[in-house]
Amino acid sequence: MRRALLPLVLMLGCAPWNQPQNQPLQGENAPLSAEALGDDLYIGLAFSGGGMRATAFAYGMLQELQATQTGTPNGLLDNVRLVSGVSGGSVMAAQLGLKGPQGMQGFRESFLTQNAEARMTTSALNPLTLVKGIAGGVNGRDTFGRTLDDTLFHNATFADLQRSRIKTWINATDMANNTPFLFSPETFDALCSDLSKVRLSEAVAASAAYPLVFTPIVLQAHQGKCTYREPDWLTAARYNPEATAAMRAHARALESYTNPEEVKFVKLLDGGITDNFGTTGLAVERARAQVPYAPLTAEEAVKLKRMLFLVANAGVSRDYDWTKKVAGPGGVNLAMSIATSAMSAASRSGYDSMRGELRLWETELIEWRCALPLTEVRKLRGTTQGWDCKDVKLFVGEVSSAALPTDLRDQLDAVPTRLKLPEAQIDLVIAAARQATRATPEFNGFLASLEGNTVEARIETGIAAGGRRVTPLN
């Protein structure tokens, strides 16, 4: 019996564990601050997970923003200041953050229609696939991560991302703390690790490391190799009974990174398990804010008039495969069904949480603006002409298959969560995302709220931008 078990035990040790590559911190991590712009429009985007389907869906939404004429070369894309990505959505988020609107050029051909599974072990008929999955994961960083570098990022690091005009959040899941893991200076300060040297492909691979399919991406905690002082918001979250459970959990995770008795290595999996919209960064920004207008600068806060935050939800709206028979799911399918259910639940709670955070932020922003003396307004804004402290409207919308006709929604739900899709399905997802964006009431309300005739929306569904009743968050 022992001899019979020996080959299995040996195979169970064959998972391709990812050795940590993050370097100790020298000095301090610079903030991922986007370049301040003098615009009165601010757009934030969040891209959910869902494999190549999610990447294509995010791309389609960006195409629609780019096609909305505003008098600038790239339409509303030129007003994007913040992007957050999870799993498949993190590919598009990193590409946009790194290259800006120019990252759209050729993206379909260079990535979406390519086989991102080319280096991966995917065959369920291979017994080693199941064995490695049970052992910890089938594919290491040299599969999908290497493909990302070869096709898109070319070994770019967060130092390259620092020069972007778009603040970019890549989100994974910390397995031990059961919390979202944000690739941010604050997180890497707690790890005493240099974020600037981390490759974008490493962060995206961690964000997309679906359980069983991928082994966790591993980071080393370099305690004692830097001078770390915990941020004030973390101290407040520890002792403030009004702090949310999510913020207390995030604060506790950062604390654990500083304690070698608790954490020597951080193991990261798919960000969708805990936060499928990547809203943790927004919650952290608000929690640590020392001023009511953060994450904006004071200059941006007095110039802002309209803000749009769109969430691309590329998740499958329903899956009845297991409801038509008594048997199933089981084995690997059961594990994946559990992970999918967790991601769906995280999507719903994440979106509700984000709306609440933004609603509170808008109220605080208006109160701050209206308390400013006119001398300060003139200093920050350049003039008091046309100044209306209450003239701020915030629109938050979810772009999803729910806005699509039933037949198109069914076709979209049938697209598998893979990193390789036929071109016909890629184009279907892109077209569906564009149509879903046009049909999103908050997007149309945002367009209708813009002053003058600066926006010529390409509404192909026959619904004028102002043809829907939309209630802003205020």
Side-chain angles (χ1 to χ4, degrees):
M1 182 67 176
R2 290 181 179 177
R3 290 183 179 179
L5 289 175
L6 182 58
L8 177 60
V9 172
L10 291 174
M11 286 191 294
L12 285 175
C14 292
W17 299 112
N18 297 308
Q19 295 299 316
Q21 296 183 351
N22 59 306
Q23 300 299 309
L25 180 61
Q26 303 291 330
E28 60 183 11
N29 285 303
L32 293 177
S33 55
E35 176 187 345
L37 300 176
D39 223 320
D40 60 359
L41 302 181
Y42 186 107
I43 295 178
L45 305 172
F47 302 143
S48 79
M52 193 69 83
R53 182 184 67 247
T55 311
F57 196 88
Y59 175 77
M61 191 172 83
L62 293 181
Q63 273 197 330
E64 195 59 32
L65 293 178
Q66 193 171 36
T68 303
Q69 301 303 309
T70 61
T72 62
N74 293 288
L76 288 175
L77 272 193
D78 287 325
N79 299 105
V80 174
R81 302 296 318 286
L82 171 67
V83 62
S84 181
V86 174
S87 194
S90 69
V91 179
M92 192 73 256
Q95 176 76 351
L96 181 66
L98 180 65
K99 301 178 181 178
Q102 289 68 37
M104 296 285 289
Q105 297 176 8
F107 183 77
R108 177 189 176 278
E109 293 71 26
S110 63
F111 184 76
L112 291 177
T113 59
Q114 300 302 310
N115 179 10
E117 297 179 1
R119 295 186 173 96
M120 293 170 52
T121 300
T122 59
S123 174
L125 300 178
N126 185 342
L128 283 178
T129 301
L130 178 59
V131 170
K132 286 185 176 182
I134 296 173
V138 180
N139 298 283
R141 67 156 58 88
D142 59 345
T143 57
F144 184 49
R146 183 178 168 190
T147 297
L148 289 170
D149 270 328
D150 288 350
T151 57
L152 295 177
F153 305 140
H154 308 292
N155 297 318
T157 67
F158 275 81
D160 299 301
L161 196 63
Q162 174 64 33
R163 294 186 281 271
S164 173
R165 297 173 66 180
I166 302 173
K167 180 174 288 188
T168 306
W169 293 331
I170 305 298
N171 307 267
T173 290
D174 176 344
M175 295 170 57
N177 284 294
N178 300 313
T179 55
F181 181 96
L182 181 63
F183 279 80
S184 70
E186 201 160 48
T187 303
F188 278 72
D189 282 344
L191 289 169
C192 275
S193 183
D194 191 343
L195 177 61
S196 69
K197 295 180 180 178
V198 175
R199 296 198 313 272
L200 284 184
S201 60
E202 180 89 340
V204 174
S207 180
Y210 199 87
L212 301 183
V213 178
F214 292 98
T215 52
I217 294 295
V218 181
L219 300 177
Q220 183 173 354
H222 295 285
Q223 296 104 341
K225 296 185 178 179
C226 73
T227 302
Y228 175 70
R229 178 182 178 274
E230 70 177 35
D232 293 339
W233 72 261
L234 192 153
T235 307
R238 184 187 300 118
Y239 298 110
N240 183 3
E242 296 184 0
T244 65
M247 286 309 302
R248 287 197 298 270
H250 184 68
R252 181 67 189 90
L254 293 186
E255 280 185 316
S256 73
Y257 301 157
T258 68
N259 186 350
E261 298 299 319
E262 293 184 339
V263 173
K264 293 182 179 179
F265 302 98
V266 181
K267 311 291 179 68
L268 303 178
L269 280 177
D270 195 308
I273 298 172
T274 51
D275 181 7
N276 203 31
F277 287 150
T279 58
T280 298
L282 181 63
V284 171
E285 287 278 352
R286 294 299 305 138
R288 73 179 185 181
Q290 301 297 313
V291 289
Y293 50 79
L296 301 179
T297 65
E299 291 82 359
E300 290 171 329
V302 296
K303 293 176 181 177
L304 179 68
K305 289 188 176 181
R306 300 294 179 265
M307 185 180 204
L308 174 67
F309 205 105
L310 285 181
V311 171
N313 184 358
V316 174
S317 62
R318 52 184 181 252
D319 184 0
Y320 297 135
D321 285 350
W322 305 110
T323 65
K324 299 172 184 176
K325 55 187 178 182
V326 174
V332 174
N333 287 325
L334 175 60
M336 290 190 170
S337 295
I338 293 171
T340 300
S341 297
M343 292 179 185
S344 297
S347 296
R348 291 187 290 270
S349 61
Y351 182 68
D352 291 340
S353 174
M354 180 191 66
R355 284 179 60 87
E357 290 285 347
L358 289 174
R359 182 181 290 111
L360 177 61
W361 176 80
E362 183 186 32
T363 300
E364 293 179 352
L365 175 61
I366 291 175
E367 290 176 353
W368 173 80
R369 284 163 54 111
C370 291
L372 282 177
L374 288 180
T375 53
E376 186 69 10
V377 173
R378 185 178 297 109
K379 176 183 176 182
L380 294 170
R381 194 168 173 263
T383 179
T384 57
Q385 185 176 358
W387 169 246
D388 181 353
C389 66
K390 296 182 179 179
D391 186 18
V392 176
K393 285 187 173 62
L394 174 61
F395 298 86
V396 182
E398 180 181 351
V399 180
S400 72
S401 62
L404 299 174
T406 302
D407 59 338
L408 183 53
R409 184 170 64 243
D410 290 343
Q411 292 180 62
L412 194 61
D413 284 347
V415 178
T417 304
R418 297 283 301 269
L419 292 172
K420 175 186 69 172
L421 294 175
E423 286 193 37
Q425 286 190 329
I426 289 292
D427 291 335
L428 167 73
V429 174
I430 293 172
R434 297 193 64 169
Q435 185 171 337
T437 303
R438 293 193 298 268
T440 301
E442 292 79 8
F443 177 63
N444 289 316
F446 171 77
L447 297 182
S449 75
L450 300 181
E451 295 179 353
N453 298 313
T454 58
V455 174
E456 176 187 346
R458 296 186 178 183
I459 308 297
E460 298 177 8
T461 57
I463 303 174
R468 292 173 178 263
R469 180 174 179 174
V470 178
T471 304
L473 288 183
N474 62 334

